């Protein structure tokens, strides 16, 4: 995938984080919040490429690897779903509080190789977070890429992340289509109801000159990639990101290996063909 | 150059003047590298140390940084650059340092904690004269008589130790010891392991294709899931990062971890890519014999035999190698 | 001895042939004649791989916990201590007797110092017995070592243990091999709850050692596996034996893993217990 | 931690008190304006049987010089039988600690009822005195504490 | 990180006089998670509470620490206060800096330091609080009374009169218990049957009472307000729906059986009513003695029954019902003295009888129609020895306790003998005479004046000589041996819990004391409650007592039940134990130490890798759990934890203390 960018932004020691301030917290869904971070002196902590990761810590509680979902001139953002003790601590943060971050880690989406292609982004649940960084990148470099389809699904309308992007920002972009589905609707939901893999097949994309960026829960990735292969997509053209337990983030601590690859260093972005090469231990 | 064995204490005193010197010794019945206290015996012969010297460069618990919580967070990196000498380290353990160097100093990031210690350590290696029945380093491609990455290579020359400097650091050591050294010296360098293992050059690649082979069902079952093999292994380098809070202050530290532990790869949501000991033992053997080779071009097993000796279930990686070579 | 091996092998072969068991846990040979390793015999034709000699030291029973929900019965070759381990795990609701086929084999003591004080050389429970029972003897010195140690001063005791725990490498072999350590997730692995940090130092090793002693002490079957497997040679049994000694002193004769269903001593009480806290 | 070594050294004593008897007794001591040393700090628990022996270890680990577990008298437990379990657990724990070098005076258990304010005062006063005589506890203490805190340059 | 607010109370000068409250508040500001800290004169006052509410809004606080008086004083006040805010009432901790700090210390510096430490502990604990919610459980307004003696009858009537449904359970064919066997009651000498049988009839006629005789408790599950009770109806072989109780069958039955009601001193038939006034007044067949049921022959009763009510095919049946409360009134029985006292003949002498046998003997409806005739030869005894404390106050052979009623009924027996046999001599061997009760001492005095000879001492031996019973004992007042020749000896034997109480106790999950009596929740303050909420005690199942005490306790228990039933639902404390089933290994160590039977082992569906499995784990019935936490300390793995006092919280308190 993309070139590995091992520029260390943390005063020489890649394992020591820098302090950042939470400047904005957005409640995306009942259990997902987006945290906008900035250094205490108002700068961007580092400039990640789409798909790269940051090891973010609530100091004193613990640290976790999260995808950087967006960045601006002087900030970066990460979206965190409440699943355990650490993420609960994140959700208790208030704007203005300080946390720490180190990174960026991992490879990134192959922004160069995608140039000139039509792109299909498929996300499920919080899985839209890593893809969002690439969507934003493509929107910023809109001329470099062809038609964009964004297919996104969640359990229910309330669980849709990044509602502003989904319903306002992205649909307005040139040559962009946003397709949303939910597993279960509610009284006010007028959109599609159904699981993502089925919806993707329903949308009947032709594989020609297309690249798919797929991210979501493992089960959704499994069935969607099978659907895509049935639809004629080459495995090389379906790109996804992996999740493993990570501690160091720099390919040393040994935890996130799949075969000889370290997900934190050689991943998290792989295409399906590359994944097929790896031992089945994901 | 040669050093009379009777001058050994004198030599160590010179080395200890500005560095912590670790020598093979015994604490509470366990032979291991101990901080030389200025007089105690140095046990260069006999069996190798029961514990490898890896904790000198990669401590089993290593503080990384201190922090203060509160309205504004303070983070203070802990920087230690201790001058250390490891004296009498054998070729197998020297090779393990080579492996560690690959891991911590290559492929993108440099691990600052390791590199600071590594830069400031002097490695005075000792050719092995007394392999144990569980030693098989020569089957793993090592020469028990020589450690190419040593700063100084020592070999037994009867009443003397025959020294040869391999690096600038090593030359400096010999210079410092100059007064005790004399020219010449002939060492016997014909040590060979009695345990011969069928470690064929093709095995790493062969194993890569054996991921789903039924052999794993058989060789992994006796494992009790403890970390003995990984903690006595000179090359196992996995670690965990955790914090220790005391009120509004705390320390982030890293400590050895083991891929044999059942919670090693378990994720917050409960998913575990290596849920049973079959996957875990397979990963360890594969890492030692195949994955590492694929990534860094050498085996992660140095044939020291410690895991064979210490495994509570008497599992034996050499039996596995032989078995795998046959299938 | 050789006839016992033949009997053992033929019994196992038959059990596998007639489908009574799915596999049998026993001992097999290694590279070294003075060392055996647990083996899992699944095919009748592999029954000859079983060995029975002075070096069959490993406990076999705990492996049954790797397979708590077997489709067929698990065959386990058990000595006296293994049978107590089976009882222990059944009493702790970890195993079901109906899932086990126990091949008992009287044991004359193995290459393990703990065997010298063994009071139950013959399996206490089995489905089939290989060979003939050996003579049991009461060990009058069951707590002798503990009693001797108790005589030391508090500082001497502390020093002794501190030196021992300085050696501990946190490998958890003692826990993983112990039939009384059968929690789903050990407290020591729950770093997030904060019982214990993951750092390896004297203090956390001491705390682990004491906690383990307290967790298993009242259920210890005295198989000595913890001490055998310790790569650093810690006298781990000396802690649990202390617990057992006090239990015997305070609450009457007590031995675990026997064929009774008495709850463990901390799971019951007696109104007449001695009261030192008045 | 240099404080610990000087003559005005005050021990750190932790008392786990059951809500229904000893905690009430301690409150009564207050109501009666009885005086006892400041170095005793109470952790309220519903029943003495709530006290996990590991809490005791933790207290020593973190630098406590003495630990007290107090509950209702046998037979008076608010929860009928809790303190019978307490009794067994801590008789064994106390011995195990002694076996590992901790003076039994440093870990004690006592039954103190809701009306025994004086007994509460006397007990904590005596324990405090005994521990003062024993001096600071270094055994089982974690490194951080004995080193003297974080951030040492 | 959490957002904690710390409020330090001056309590006028109660706290502020000794503790530098401003310094405590200031120190708390440095604690992790604390975003606001202040001190105030009276936190519990209206303006104090209002300030907390304001600060919660202003600083978006999610957890509150109040440093004030003991939590036993105002924990509920502040919890209530939080109900109107966004903060969960259980996200509150109170640092006790008054009773356990300012009031017990004088040195202001040290007291302040301690207050800071206590506050820090509370901050550490509150940081690990999480929202808890009280739940309400519906109350099923129907009570079950187990045991149809006078206690059960009284309790059932009281509850039924209050308008609630009651099921009265009795294992014998008739209710009435022991009281209906007595002749007269002390000290008024009312006819016992005359005052108890109307109540029995009232029970059977009461629209709110469902009377269930020949029934036993089979199983109990659930908790206060919602006990699921299974009851076993033993086969009676007589269809009580049809039977009118005409009694023809009884007269025709050829099989004679020793009468339990008359204490073995007369006979009944195999189909029988226990006694004349039995309720229900319908017979049952004793299957152990019925020839038809035993040998397949006979069947006379079936033949003679005009209504065809006899059914030899009758089987035990069970039925289940839901009850909101349970009263245990299983009563007592007399100790089996025969095995314990061989020196009294061990039962070999017919004329050594128990007090209860005497009651039947002296009763007009008894075997002798009220004539005191000795059982061996049906002659009137002239010399009668009454031995008290047989089995009571005798820890070596019997029970260590006093059976409480014997002194009085011994006096009553002496009185009755002297009254009915004018020229008789009565000797009462006693240890002490205890007469605490209204009119009791007077009654005892009267008996002595009647001529009863009271001898202080135990009888050491009773033996037979020439048709008479020789009682050898000691007169401890005179310090000499005494020998009394008697025609009849009455042993006033100890009360012991009724047979089968152990099973009932076990099924209900309540406790027994060392003597087997049911354990009350508190001997002084909660004498009719058990430690299981919703289970109450009445009468002698809790310990020996006389009739007035029994009836009083029965009414007290009934009042408790009515109090409970006056609400349609009740709040339960959320501070109960909780099992993390993902960690639980199902070893059951928690189960054995739970005093409330609130923990059961259940099987759950789980996965082990790809395999679907059934796994055993512990499960807490939060309706039964009272929150003692014994289980949490017994759990090695920490899978079971006590909400409000979690392992995590206590560890953090300990950590905070030591900073």
């Amino acid at each position: 995938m993309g070139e590995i960018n091992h520029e260390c932004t943390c005063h020489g020691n890649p394992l020591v984080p820098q302090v950042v301030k939470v400047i904005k917290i957005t409640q995306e869904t009942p259990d997902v919040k987006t945290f906008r971070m900035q250094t205490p002196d108002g700068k961007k902590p580092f400039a990640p490429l789409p798909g790269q990761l940051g090891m973010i810590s609530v100091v004193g509680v613990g640290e976790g690897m999260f995808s950087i979902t967006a960045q601006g001139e002087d900030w970066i953002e990460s979206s965190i779903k409440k699943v355990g003790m650490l993420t609960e601590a994140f959700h208790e943060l208030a704007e203005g509080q300080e946390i720490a971050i180190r990174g960026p880690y991992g490879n990134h989406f192959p922004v160069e190789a995608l140039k000139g292609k039509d792109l299909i982004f498929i996300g499920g649940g919080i899985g839209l977070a890593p893809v969002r960084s690439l969507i934003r990148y493509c929107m910023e470099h809109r001329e470099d890429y062809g038609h964009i389809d964004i297919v996104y699904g969640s359990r229910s309308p309330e669980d849709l992340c990044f509602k502003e992007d989904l319903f306002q920002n992205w649909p307005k972009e040139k040559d962009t289509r946003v397709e949303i589905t939910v597993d279960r609707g509610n009284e006010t939901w007028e959109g599609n109801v159904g699981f993502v893999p089925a919806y993707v097949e329903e949308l009947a994309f032709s594989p020609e000159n297309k690249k798919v960026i797929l991210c979501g829960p493992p089960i959704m990735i499994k069935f969607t990639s099978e659907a895509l292969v049935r639809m004629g997509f080459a495995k090389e053209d379906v790109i996804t990101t992996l999740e493993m337990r990570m501690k160091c983030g720099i390919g040393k601590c040994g935890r996130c290996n799949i075969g000889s690859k370290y997900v934190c260093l050689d991943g998290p972005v792989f295409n399906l063909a590359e994944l097929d090469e790896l031992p089945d231990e994901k | 150059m040669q050093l009379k064995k009777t001058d050994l204490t004198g030599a160590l005193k010179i080395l200890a003047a500005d560095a912590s010197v670790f020598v093979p010794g015994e604490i509470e019945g366990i032979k291991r590298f101990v901080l030389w206290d200025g007089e105690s015996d140095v046990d260069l012969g006999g069996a190798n140390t029961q514990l490898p010297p890896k904790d000198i460069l990669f401590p089993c618990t290593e503080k990384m940084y201190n922090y203060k919580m509160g309205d504004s967070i303070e983070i203070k990196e802990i920087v230690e650059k201790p001058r250390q000498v490891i004296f009498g380290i054998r070729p197998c353990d020297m090779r393990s340092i080579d492996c560690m160097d690959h891991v911590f100093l290559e492929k993108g990031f440099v691990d600052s904690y390791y590199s600071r210690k590594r830069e400031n350590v002097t490695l005075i290696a000792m050719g092995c004269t007394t392999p144990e029945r569980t030693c098989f380093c020569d089957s793993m491609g090592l020469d028990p008589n020589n450690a190419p990455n040593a700063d100084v290579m020592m070999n037994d020359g009867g009443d003397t130790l025959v020294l040869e400097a391999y690096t600038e650091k090593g030359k400096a050591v010999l210079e410092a010891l100059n007064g005790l050294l004399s020219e010449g010296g002939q060492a016997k360098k014909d040590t060979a392991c009695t345990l011969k293992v069928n470690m064929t050059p093709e095995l790493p690649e062969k194993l890569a294709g054996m991921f789903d082979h039924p052999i794993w069902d058989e060789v992994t079952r006796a494992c009790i899931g403890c970390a003995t093999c990984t903690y006595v292994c000179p090359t196992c380098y996995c670690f965990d990062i955790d914090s220790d809070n005391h009120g509004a202050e705390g320390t982030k530290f890293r400590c050895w971890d083991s891929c044999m532990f059942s919670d090693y790869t378990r994720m917050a949501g409960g998913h575990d890519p290596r849920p049973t000991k079959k996957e875990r033992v397979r990963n360890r053997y594969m890492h030692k014999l195949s994955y590492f080779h694929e990534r860094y071009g050498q085996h992660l097993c140095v044939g020291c035999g410690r895991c064979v000796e210490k495994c509570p279930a008497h599992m034996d990686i050499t039996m596995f190698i032989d078995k795998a070579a046959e299938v | 001895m050789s006839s016992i091996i033949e009997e053992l092998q033929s019994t196992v072969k038959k059990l596998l042939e007639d489908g009574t068991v799915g596999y049998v846990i026993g001992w097999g040979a290694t590279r070294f004649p003075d060392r055996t390793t647990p083996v899992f015999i699944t095919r009748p034709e592999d029954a000859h791989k079983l060995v029975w000699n002075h070096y069959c030291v490993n406990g076999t029973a705990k492996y049954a916990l790797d397979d708590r929900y077997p489709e067929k019965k698990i065959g386990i070759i058990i000595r006296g201590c293994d049978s107590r381990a089976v009882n222990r795990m059944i009493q702790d609701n970890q195993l079901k007797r109906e899932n086990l086929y126990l091949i008992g084999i009287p044991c004359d003591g193995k290459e393990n110092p703990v065997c010298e004080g063994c009071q139950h050389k013959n399996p206490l429970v089995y489905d089939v017995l290989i060979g003939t029972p050996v003579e049991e003897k009461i060990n009058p010195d069951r707590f002798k070592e503990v009693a001797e140690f108790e005589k030391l001063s508090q500082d001497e005791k502390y020093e002794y243990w501190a030196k021992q725990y300085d050696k501990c490498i946190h490998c958890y072999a003692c826990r993983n091999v112990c039939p009384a350590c059968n929690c789903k997730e050990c407290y020591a692995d729950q770093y997030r709850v904060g019982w214990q940090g993951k750092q390896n130092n004297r203090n956390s090793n001491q705390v682990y050692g004491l906690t383990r002693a307290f967790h298993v002490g009242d259920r210890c079957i005295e198989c000595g596996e913890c001490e055998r497997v310790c790569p650093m040679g810690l006298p781990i049994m000396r802690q649990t034996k202390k617990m057992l000694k006090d239990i015997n002193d305070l609450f009457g004769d007590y031995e675990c893993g026997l064929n009774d269903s008495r709850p463990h001593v901390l799971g019951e009480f007696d109104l007449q217990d001695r009261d030192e806290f008045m | 931690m240099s404080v610990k070594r000087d003559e005005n050294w005050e021990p750190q004593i932790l008392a786990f008190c059951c809500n229904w008897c000893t905690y009430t007794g301690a409150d009564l001591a207050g109501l009666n304006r009885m005086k006892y040393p400041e170095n005793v700090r109470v952790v309220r628990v519903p029943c003495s049987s709530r006290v996990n022996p590991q809490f005791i270890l933790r207290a020593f680990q973190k630098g406590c010089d003495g630990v007290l577990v107090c509950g209702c008298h046998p037979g008076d437990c608010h929860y009928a039988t809790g303190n019978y379990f307490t009794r067994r657990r801590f008789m064994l724990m106390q011995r195990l600690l002694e076996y590992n070098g901790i003076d039994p005076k440093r870990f004690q258990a006592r039954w103190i009822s809701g009306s025994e304010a004086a007994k509460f005062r006397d007990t904590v006063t005596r324990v405090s005195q005994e521990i003062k005589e024993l001096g600071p506890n270094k055994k089982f203490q974690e490194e951080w504490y004995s080193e003297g805190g974080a951030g040492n340059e | 990180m959490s957002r904690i607010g710390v409020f330090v109370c001056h309590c006028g000068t109660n706290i502020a006089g000794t503790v530098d409250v401003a310094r405590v508040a200031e120190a708390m500001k440095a604690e992790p998670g604390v975003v606001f800290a202040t001190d105030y004169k009276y936190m519990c006052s209206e303006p104090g509470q209002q300030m907390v509410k304001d600060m919660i809004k202003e600083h978006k606080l999610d957890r509150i620490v109040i440093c004030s008086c003991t939590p036993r004083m105002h924990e509920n006040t502040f919890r209530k206060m939080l109900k109107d805010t966004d903060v969960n009432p259980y996200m509150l901790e109170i640092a006790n800096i008054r009773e356990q700090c300012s009031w017990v210390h004088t040195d202001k510096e040290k007291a302040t330091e301690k207050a800071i430490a206590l506050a820090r502990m509370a901050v550490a604990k509150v940081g690990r609080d999480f929202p808890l919610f009280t739940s309400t459980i519906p109350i099923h307004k129907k009570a079950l009374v187990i045991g149809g003696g006078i206690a059960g009858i009284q309790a059932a009537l009281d509850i039924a009169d209050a308008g609630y449904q009651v099921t009265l359970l009795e294992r014998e064919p008739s209710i009435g218990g022991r009281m209906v066997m007595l002749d007269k009651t002390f000290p008024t000498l009312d006819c016992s049957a005359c005052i108890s049988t109307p109540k029995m009839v009232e029970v059977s006629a009461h629209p709110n009472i469902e009377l269930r005789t020949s029934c036993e408790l089979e199983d109990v599950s659930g908790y206060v307000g919602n006990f699921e009770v299974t009851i076993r109806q033993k086969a009676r072989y007589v269809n009580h729906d049809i039977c009118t109780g005409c009694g023809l069958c009884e007269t025709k039955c050829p099989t004679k059986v020793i009468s339990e009601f008359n204490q073995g001193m007369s006979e009944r038939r195999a189909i029988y009513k226990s006694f004349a006034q039995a309720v229900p007044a319908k017979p049952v067949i004793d299957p152990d003695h019925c020839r038809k049921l035993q040998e397949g022959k006979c069947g006379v009763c079936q033949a003679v029954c005009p209504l065809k009510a006899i059914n030899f095919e009758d089987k035990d049946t069970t039925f289940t019902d839901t009850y909101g409360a349970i009263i245990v009134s299983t009563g007592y029985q007399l100790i089996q003295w025969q095995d314990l006292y061989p020196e009294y003949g061990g039962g070999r002498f017919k004329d050594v009888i128990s007090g209860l046998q005497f009651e039947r003997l002296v009763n007009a409806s008894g075997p002798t129609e009220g004539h005191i005739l000795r059982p061996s030869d049906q002659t009137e005894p002239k010399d009668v020895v009454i031995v008290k404390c047989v089995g009571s106050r005798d820890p070596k052979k019997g029970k260590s306790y006093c059976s409480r009623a014997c002194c009085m009924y011994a006096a009553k027996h002496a009185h009755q003998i002297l009254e009915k046999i004018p020229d008789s001599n009565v000797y009462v061997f006693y240890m002490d005479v205890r007469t605490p009760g209204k009119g009791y001492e007077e009654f005892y005095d009267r008996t002595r004046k009647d001529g009863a000879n009271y001898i202080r001492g135990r009888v050491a031996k009773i033996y037979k000589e020439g048709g008479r019973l020789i009682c050898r004992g000691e007169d401890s007042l005179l310090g000499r041996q005494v020998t009394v020749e008697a025609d009849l000896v009455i042993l006033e034997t100890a009360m012991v819990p009724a047979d089968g109480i152990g099973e009932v106790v076990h099924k209900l999950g309540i406790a027994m004391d060392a003597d087997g009596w049911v354990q009350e929740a508190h001997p002084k303050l909660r004498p009719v409650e058990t430690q299981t909420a919703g289970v109450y005690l009445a009468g002698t199942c809790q310990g020996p007592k006389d009739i007035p005490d029994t009836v009083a306790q029965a009414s007290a228990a009934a009042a408790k039940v009515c109090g409970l039933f006056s609400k349609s639902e009740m709040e339960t404390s959320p501070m109960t134990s909780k099992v993390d089933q993902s960690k639980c290994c199902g070893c059951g160590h928690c189960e054995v130490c739970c005093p409330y039977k609130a923990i059961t082992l259940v099987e759950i569906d789980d996965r082990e890798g790809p395999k679907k499995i059934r796994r055993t784990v512990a499960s807490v019935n939060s309706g039964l759990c009272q929150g003692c936490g014994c289980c949490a300390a017994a759990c090695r793995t920490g899978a079971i934890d006590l909400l409000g006092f979690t392992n995590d919280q206590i560890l953090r308190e300990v950590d905070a203390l030591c900073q």
Side-chain angles (χ1 to χ4, degrees), chain C residues 88-97:
Chain C
R88 168 81 277 143
M89 291 185 281
I90 290 174
Q91 283 159 11
D92 287 342
N93 278 344
Q94 303 303 308
L95 290 178
K96 290 203 169 86
R97 180 66 177 86

mmCIF file of all heavy atoms in Angstrom, chain C residues 88-97:
data_model
loop_
_atom_site.group_PDB
_atom_site.id
_atom_site.type_symbol
_atom_site.label_atom_id
_atom_site.label_comp_id
_atom_site.label_asym_id
_atom_site.label_seq_id
_atom_site.Cartn_x
_atom_site.Cartn_y
_atom_site.Cartn_z
ATOM 1 N N ARG C 88 -10.516 -32.266 42.547
ATOM 2 C CA ARG C 88 -10.460 -30.826 42.800
ATOM 3 C C ARG C 88 -11.285 -30.077 41.749
ATOM 4 O O ARG C 88 -12.132 -29.263 42.048
ATOM 5 C CB ARG C 88 -9.009 -30.356 42.765
ATOM 6 C CG ARG C 88 -8.787 -28.855 42.720
ATOM 7 C CD ARG C 88 -8.896 -28.228 44.087
ATOM 8 N NE ARG C 88 -10.257 -27.956 44.467
ATOM 9 C CZ ARG C 88 -10.761 -28.081 45.680
ATOM 10 N NH1 ARG C 88 -10.022 -28.511 46.659
ATOM 11 N NH2 ARG C 88 -12.006 -27.809 45.930
ATOM 12 N N MET C 89 -11.023 -30.401 40.496
ATOM 13 C CA MET C 89 -11.673 -29.644 39.421
ATOM 14 C C MET C 89 -13.152 -29.990 39.310
ATOM 15 O O MET C 89 -13.955 -29.148 38.935
ATOM 16 C CB MET C 89 -10.926 -29.873 38.114
ATOM 17 C CG MET C 89 -9.547 -29.214 38.163
ATOM 18 S SD MET C 89 -8.633 -29.315 36.627
ATOM 19 C CE MET C 89 -8.018 -30.963 36.699
ATOM 20 N N ILE C 90 -13.516 -31.204 39.685
ATOM 21 C CA ILE C 90 -14.942 -31.549 39.702
ATOM 22 C C ILE C 90 -15.616 -30.787 40.841
ATOM 23 O O ILE C 90 -16.685 -30.214 40.676
ATOM 24 C CB ILE C 90 -15.130 -33.068 39.842
ATOM 25 C CG1 ILE C 90 -14.699 -33.769 38.555
ATOM 26 C CG2 ILE C 90 -16.597 -33.402 40.156
ATOM 27 C CD1 ILE C 90 -14.715 -35.275 38.625
ATOM 28 N N GLN C 91 -14.954 -30.759 42.000
ATOM 29 C CA GLN C 91 -15.535 -30.035 43.136
ATOM 30 C C GLN C 91 -15.642 -28.541 42.850
ATOM 31 O O GLN C 91 -16.517 -27.866 43.377
ATOM 32 C CB GLN C 91 -14.693 -30.280 44.397
ATOM 33 C CG GLN C 91 -14.943 -31.647 45.013
ATOM 34 C CD GLN C 91 -13.808 -32.110 45.915
ATOM 35 O OE1 GLN C 91 -12.911 -31.363 46.258
ATOM 36 N NE2 GLN C 91 -13.850 -33.383 46.296
ATOM 37 N N ASP C 92 -14.766 -28.032 42.030
ATOM 38 C CA ASP C 92 -14.840 -26.617 41.667
ATOM 39 C C ASP C 92 -15.731 -26.379 40.450
ATOM 40 O O ASP C 92 -15.670 -25.314 39.830
ATOM 41 C CB ASP C 92 -13.429 -26.078 41.375
ATOM 42 C CG ASP C 92 -12.609 -25.899 42.635
ATOM 43 O OD1 ASP C 92 -13.207 -25.855 43.720
ATOM 44 O OD2 ASP C 92 -11.377 -25.795 42.538
ATOM 45 N N ASN C 93 -16.507 -27.380 40.076
ATOM 46 C CA ASN C 93 -17.451 -27.251 38.945
ATOM 47 C C ASN C 93 -16.773 -27.021 37.612
ATOM 48 O O ASN C 93 -17.370 -26.452 36.707
ATOM 49 C CB ASN C 93 -18.388 -26.049 39.148
ATOM 50 C CG ASN C 93 -19.534 -26.415 40.042
ATOM 51 O OD1 ASN C 93 -19.798 -27.590 40.258
ATOM 52 N ND2 ASN C 93 -20.219 -25.412 40.557
ATOM 53 N N GLN C 94 -15.522 -27.398 37.496
ATOM 54 C CA GLN C 94 -14.832 -27.125 36.239
ATOM 55 C C GLN C 94 -14.881 -28.306 35.280
ATOM 56 O O GLN C 94 -14.766 -28.141 34.083
ATOM 57 C CB GLN C 94 -13.366 -26.730 36.499
ATOM 58 C CG GLN C 94 -13.227 -25.531 37.403
ATOM 59 C CD GLN C 94 -13.971 -24.324 36.868
ATOM 60 O OE1 GLN C 94 -13.796 -23.934 35.720
ATOM 61 N NE2 GLN C 94 -14.846 -23.746 37.683
ATOM 62 N N LEU C 95 -15.035 -29.482 35.834
ATOM 63 C CA LEU C 95 -15.093 -30.670 34.991
ATOM 64 C C LEU C 95 -16.324 -31.460 35.374
ATOM 65 O O LEU C 95 -16.808 -31.360 36.500
ATOM 66 C CB LEU C 95 -13.861 -31.556 35.208
ATOM 67 C CG LEU C 95 -12.521 -31.060 34.706
ATOM 68 C CD1 LEU C 95 -11.453 -32.078 35.064
ATOM 69 C CD2 LEU C 95 -12.540 -30.841 33.208
ATOM 70 N N LYS C 96 -16.803 -32.247 34.428
ATOM 71 C CA LYS C 96 -17.900 -33.140 34.747
ATOM 72 C C LYS C 96 -17.353 -34.566 34.698
ATOM 73 O O LYS C 96 -16.691 -34.949 33.738
ATOM 74 C CB LYS C 96 -19.030 -32.971 33.733
ATOM 75 C CG LYS C 96 -19.751 -31.638 33.860
ATOM 76 C CD LYS C 96 -21.152 -31.755 33.254
ATOM 77 C CE LYS C 96 -22.011 -30.549 33.574
ATOM 78 N NZ LYS C 96 -21.822 -29.441 32.614
ATOM 79 N N ARG C 97 -17.647 -35.300 35.727
ATOM 80 C CA ARG C 97 -17.112 -36.662 35.811
ATOM 81 C C ARG C 97 -17.509 -37.487 34.597
ATOM 82 O O ARG C 97 -16.738 -38.309 34.113
ATOM 83 C CB ARG C 97 -17.621 -37.323 37.101
ATOM 84 C CG ARG C 97 -17.155 -38.741 37.338
ATOM 85 C CD ARG C 97 -15.655 -38.800 37.576
ATOM 86 N NE ARG C 97 -15.209 -40.154 37.864
ATOM 87 C CZ ARG C 97 -14.891 -41.036 36.928
ATOM 88 N NH1 ARG C 97 -14.946 -40.689 35.656
ATOM 89 N NH2 ARG C 97 -14.478 -42.249 37.269
#
